[in-house]
Amino acid sequence: MKVVVFDAMGVLYRYGDVQGRVLIPYLRAQGCHAPEQDIREAYRATTLGRLTTDGFWAAVGLTARDEHYCQEHRLTEGTLEALDELADAGLEAACLSNDTAAWSALVRRRFGLERRIRRWFISSDLRVRKPDPVAYEAVLDALNVPAGQIVFVDDRPVNLAPARALGMRTVLFRSDDTDAHPAPGSPHEVGSMRELVAAVRRIHRPMDAGRASPTGRSPD
C-alpha cells in the first residue's frame, strides 16, 4: 500500500450527516426559514461547483458567513494521531470529499490537516460527487498510483463500491450516517481511528499483522 484516501465528513470529521447534524441546525440558529428541500438543493449545487458559497448563502436568505459556519465542524477523536501513525508507517494520505472547496479549506486549516494530508479532491472542484465513478478515476489519475496500492476509507457503504470496482482496498468507518446509505457487500468495518490504523496496517503489511493477530484477517 502507498496511499490512504480518506472521506472527510463522517471520517476525518465527526458527523457524516453534515446537512442534518451541522448545516441545517446552524442555518436555523441563524434565523434561516428556507424550506429544508431548498437548502438541500442549494447545498448539492454548491458541492457540485454550480453555486459559489456566496451564492449558497444568498439562496438560503443569509449574508455570506463561511468562516462562522465552518467553526461548527468537529474533528473525529484520534484523527491527528492516526494520520501521524500512518505517515510513520510510510503511507501518504489524501482526501476525497463531497464538499465545497472554500469550506473544505477553512475546516482543514482550522484543524491543522493540510500538513498531514497531501492531496485534497473536493467535489466542487471535480464537478462530480461520490459515488459517481468519475470522482474516483480523477483521484487515480492525479495520484498516479495503481488502484491496488490505495486504501479508500468512507463512512457510506455506497461510496465504497466504486472504489472496490476500480481495484482499491476499502475500509468502512462507521458514523452517524452509515446505516442511511447501504450498499451490497459487507466491507470490513471499524468504529474508531485506533481501529482504522490497525486495519490499514493489516492491509499494508499482512504478514506482520498475521503474526500479531490470532486471525491474521485482511480487511477488504
Side-chain angles (χ1 to χ4, degrees), residues 2-180:
K2 291 187 176 180
V3 184
V4 181
V5 178
F6 293 85
D7 173 40
M9 305 306 175
V11 179
L12 297 174
Y13 308 125
R14 185 178 301 172
Y15 299 116
D17 179 12
V18 67
Q19 294 182 72
R21 299 291 296 274
V22 184
L23 178 61
I24 293 174
Y26 172 82
L27 293 176
R28 297 305 186 215
Q30 301 302 307
C32 171
H33 300 292
E36 182 173 323
Q37 184 60 33
D38 292 352
I39 294 171
R40 291 182 179 276
E41 289 176 0
Y43 175 80
R44 181 175 179 83
T46 307
T47 61
L48 284 169
R50 298 170 185 167
L51 273 182
T52 63
T53 56
D54 284 352
F56 171 83
W57 297 117
V60 300
L62 297 175
T63 56
R65 53 193 74 188
D66 288 354
E67 292 190 9
H68 192 246
Y69 162 63
C70 287
Q71 292 294 315
E72 298 296 301
H73 291 279
R74 299 291 179 266
L75 198 65
T76 297
E77 183 178 357
T79 292
L80 301 182
E81 294 83 356
L83 291 171
D84 289 344
E85 283 190 55
L86 294 174
D88 288 344
L91 293 164
E92 297 182 5
C95 177
L96 173 61
S97 176
N98 290 342
D99 200 356
T100 77
W103 294 346
S104 174
L106 284 168
V107 177
R108 67 192 190 232
R109 287 171 190 161
R110 176 186 165 206
F111 291 117
L113 295 182
E114 286 196 324
R115 61 180 179 270
R116 291 176 167 90
I117 296 182
R118 183 170 70 93
R119 297 289 300 272
W120 295 79
F121 302 93
I122 309 302
S123 61
S124 69
D125 290 331
L126 299 175
R127 302 298 178 99
V128 63
R129 287 170 51 95
K130 296 176 294 182
D132 190 317
V134 173
Y136 305 79
E137 291 166 356
V139 171
L140 286 174
D141 288 344
L143 292 178
N144 195 28
V145 172
Q149 296 177 2
I150 296 174
V151 180
F152 181 72
V153 184
D154 203 288
D155 66 317
R156 295 182 176 183
V158 69
N159 288 343
L160 295 178
R164 285 199 303 275
L166 288 169
M168 300 182 203
R169 310 291 291 276
T170 61
V171 177
L172 177 66
F173 192 101
R174 290 198 65 83
S175 79
D176 60 299
D177 203 35
T178 297
D179 292 337

Side-chain angles (χ1 to χ4, degrees), residues 204-215:
H204 185 42
R205 300 187 184 278
M207 292 183 65
D208 291 346
R211 286 193 291 269
S213 166
T215 60

